[in-house]
């Protein structure tokens, strides 16, 4: 079954472990007015078993995030104020070197100076990297193709349309073939969001996520998903494995919550409890 397949991908958690055994995710997210995206992604990683998460955010957010989620470590480039700019890229790169994986994009905003920041980081980061949301909105295809390190991107159809030059309707009418060809050509794992998300690998293998839950069509749900996948990258899963496991558990989390209370209107932070329920489901799978 799919549950058994996903269960086999999950990292082992020996009883004598410590937090350093479960990876360090470096999350480059947030801007003024969108600090919640950084928090949602960071907590998504922690709730999914990541040992350490550092949220690198503009300085206007640095001291507010721990008040909302004390488990998150925070840091900021000097004088970064309300958004990241290209001048911040060297500081961010240096601080990222001690992590096991990097998440780039949630809530960054779209500004000309942030665009240069994102494109510079994309070219220079050598560790496993997940790019989502405004990371994709600020990215150009050349910066992505020129990467020679492990990469996952998680676009919705409009974001993939901008990167590829295809129309949204062209992509939606051929979701599987679009993802297959682009993941091979761009040498990255692609998760195309939507009902029954499509996941493609550089080797041309395509998977379909078995969930189509309208409760996930809510603000911040994608940030939690990015944190979950990024957290699995930090825990040592390969890009395709991390994407498959993270997307399955994200969908299962919503399903578990709705099965418990069919009247529930889910907000993104509800998924944290659902993640635990989804893991429990997998543990009970024989």
């Amino acid at each position: 079954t799919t549950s058994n397949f996903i269960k086999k991908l999950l990292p082992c958690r020996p009883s004598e472990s410590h937090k350093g055994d479960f990876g360090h995710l470096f999350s480059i997210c947030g801007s003024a007015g969108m600090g919640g995206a950084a928090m949602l992604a960071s907590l998504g990683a922690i709730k999914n078993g990541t040992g350490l998460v550092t949220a690198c955010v503009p300085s206007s957010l640095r001291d507010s995030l721990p008040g909302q989620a004390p488990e998150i470590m925070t840091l900021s480039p000097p004088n970064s104020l309300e958004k990241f700019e290209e001048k911040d890229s060297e500081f961010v790169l240096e601080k990222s070197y001690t992590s096991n994986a990097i998440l780039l994009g949630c809530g960054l905003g779209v500004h000309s100076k942030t665009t240069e920041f994102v494109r510079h980081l994309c070219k220079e980061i050598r560790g496993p990297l997940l790019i989502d949301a405004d990371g994709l909105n600020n990215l150009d295809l050349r910066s992505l193709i020129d990467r020679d390190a492990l990469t996952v991107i998680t676009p919705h159809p409009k974001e993939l349309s901008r990167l590829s030059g295809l129309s949204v309707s062209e992509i939606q009418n051929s979701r599987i073939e679009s993802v297959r060809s682009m993941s091979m050509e761009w040498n990255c794992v692609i998760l195309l969001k939507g009902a029954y998300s499509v996941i493609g690998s550089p080797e041309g293998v395509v998977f379909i996520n078995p969930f189509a839950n309208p409760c996930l069509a809510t603000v911040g749900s994608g940030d939690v998903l990015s944190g979950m996948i990024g957290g699995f990258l930090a825990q040592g899963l390969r890009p395709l494995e991390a994407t498959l496991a993270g997307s399955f558990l994200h969908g299962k989390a919503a399903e578990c919550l709705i099965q418990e209370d069919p009247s529930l209107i889910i907000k993104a932070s509800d998924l944290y409890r659902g993640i635990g329920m989804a893991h429990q489901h997998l543990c009970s799978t024989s």
Side-chain angles (χ1 to χ4, degrees):
T1 66
T2 300
S3 293
N4 279 314
F5 173 75
I6 297 298
K7 183 178 180 179
K8 293 176 183 178
L9 300 180
L10 300 185
C12 296
R13 300 183 71 85
S15 57
E16 68 275 14
S17 303
H18 59 83
K19 63 180 180 288
D21 294 326
F22 301 126
H24 180 191
L25 178 67
F26 192 77
S27 171
I28 308 166
C29 296
S31 59
M34 291 191 283
M39 185 191 71
L40 287 166
S42 296
L43 272 181
I46 289 173
K47 288 293 290 184
N48 210 31
T50 310
L52 297 162
V53 176
T54 297
C56 182
V57 295
S59 56
S60 61
L61 303 177
R62 185 187 61 214
D63 295 328
S64 61
L65 286 187
Q68 300 174 66
E71 301 87 352
I72 302 172
M73 299 180 291
T74 59
L75 61 82
S76 300
N79 303 312
S80 54
L81 301 178
E82 296 189 343
K83 61 181 180 294
F84 288 115
E85 301 181 8
E86 187 177 15
K87 65 180 177 60
D88 303 317
S89 57
E90 293 306 319
F91 174 93
V92 173
L93 275 171
E94 180 182 351
K95 296 298 184 181
S96 73
Y97 292 148
T98 59
S99 67
N100 301 104
I102 297 165
L103 165 60
L104 173 65
C106 301
L108 287 181
V110 180
H111 313 277
S112 59
K113 293 181 179 179
T114 304
T115 295
E116 295 307 314
F117 169 82
V118 166
R119 294 179 182 184
H120 182 78
L121 287 183
C122 188
K123 292 176 182 177
E124 297 297 328
I125 288 172
R126 291 293 172 261
L129 172 66
L130 186 150
I131 311 172
D132 183 33
D134 286 334
L136 296 171
N137 291 328
N138 284 292
L139 192 64
D140 65 320
L141 186 56
R142 177 50 54 191
S143 298
L144 177 62
I145 292 176
D146 285 348
R147 277 186 55 76
D148 58 4
L150 303 173
T151 312
V152 177
I153 65 172
T154 56
H156 57 57
K158 187 174 180 180
E159 290 164 343
L160 192 60
S161 170
R162 192 192 67 81
L163 274 176
S164 67
L166 296 177
S167 69
V168 170
S169 61
E170 286 175 311
I171 291 170
Q172 290 293 75
N173 289 335
S174 184
R175 285 169 61 86
I176 292 174
E177 285 309 313
S178 293
V179 168
R180 188 196 308 275
S181 62
M182 292 176 198
S183 59
M184 293 175 67
E185 181 181 353
W186 302 350
N187 192 36
C188 65
V189 172
I190 299 176
L191 185 154
L192 177 58
K193 294 176 181 175
Y196 306 112
S197 296
V198 181
I199 300 160
S201 74
E203 295 75 29
V205 181
V206 174
F207 295 81
I208 310 297
N209 192 315
F211 298 104
N213 194 330
C215 293
L216 289 172
T218 185
V219 63
S221 172
D223 300 321
V224 176
L225 173 63
S226 293
M228 294 175 71
I229 297 172
F232 275 144
L233 286 173
Q235 292 174 65
L237 271 65
R238 290 175 290 188
L240 180 60
E241 295 172 341
T243 306
L244 293 173
S247 59
F248 178 87
L249 285 165
H250 183 259
K252 190 65 181 179
E255 183 181 82
C256 288
L257 290 169
I258 294 303
Q259 287 176 343
E260 181 184 65
D261 180 3
S263 67
L264 181 65
I265 302 298
I266 292 177
K267 62 182 185 298
S269 57
D270 291 332
L271 291 169
Y272 301 144
R273 187 166 67 88
I275 292 169
M277 298 164 73
H279 276 274
Q280 186 177 29
H281 164 79
L282 285 186
C283 288
S284 65
T285 300
S286 57

